[in-house]
Amino acid sequence: MVSKYSVLYTVYLNEGLTVGELVSQLGKKPPGYQTVYNFLKELEKEEFVEFKGKKCFLGEYDKTTRLLKLIEFCISNKIDYDELFLPKTVDFIQKG
């Protein structure tokens, strides 16, 4: 199953693709289109991605760069970034 952060990382690796092209890059079939589209809309509200026409690009904000660096760190160190961003984990880190 694809996650919101997997979609963000795919946009980072394949900037300027349409939603359908991103779905293909994620190895999903057309039924997965709606899920990917919904994640992209969430990421757009959070200003991590932006649409220019039908194409998707990264938001040009410092928070986008920091989040992508964290995701890349997790990937290179074989850490599941989806578990890192669970609300309970984030709450634990904030309290720590």
Side-chain angles (χ1 to χ4, degrees):
M1 182 171 177
V2 68
S3 71
K4 178 168 79 170
Y5 301 105
S6 298
V7 172
L8 177 63
Y9 194 68
T10 302
V11 172
Y12 167 66
L13 295 175
N14 304 284
E15 206 169 8
L17 296 182
T18 63
V19 178
E21 293 168 333
L22 288 169
V23 169
S24 295
Q25 287 294 320
L26 287 162
K28 299 295 175 188
K29 295 187 178 175
Y33 181 95
Q34 190 62 47
T35 303
V36 173
Y37 181 78
N38 291 343
F39 284 144
L40 285 169
K41 283 305 197 180
E42 281 181 42
L43 290 164
E44 183 180 36
K45 285 180 188 174
E46 296 169 359
E47 298 180 326
F48 287 112
V49 299
E50 56 186 44
F51 286 94
K52 294 179 183 174
K54 293 185 178 187
K55 298 188 180 216
C56 191
F57 296 89
L58 290 175
E60 296 182 19
Y61 297 98
D62 189 44
K63 68 180 186 175
T64 306
T65 304
R66 289 191 315 242
L67 179 57
L68 287 167
K69 283 182 181 180
L70 181 59
I71 291 171
E72 282 188 324
F73 175 83
C74 289
I75 290 170
S76 65
N77 289 289
K78 298 180 179 153
I79 299 169
D80 184 358
Y81 54 84
D82 290 322
E83 287 187 24
L84 183 66
F85 299 131
L86 290 173
K88 288 182 180 181
T89 307
V90 172
D91 186 48
F92 174 78
I93 292 170
Q94 285 177 337
K95 288 181 181 177

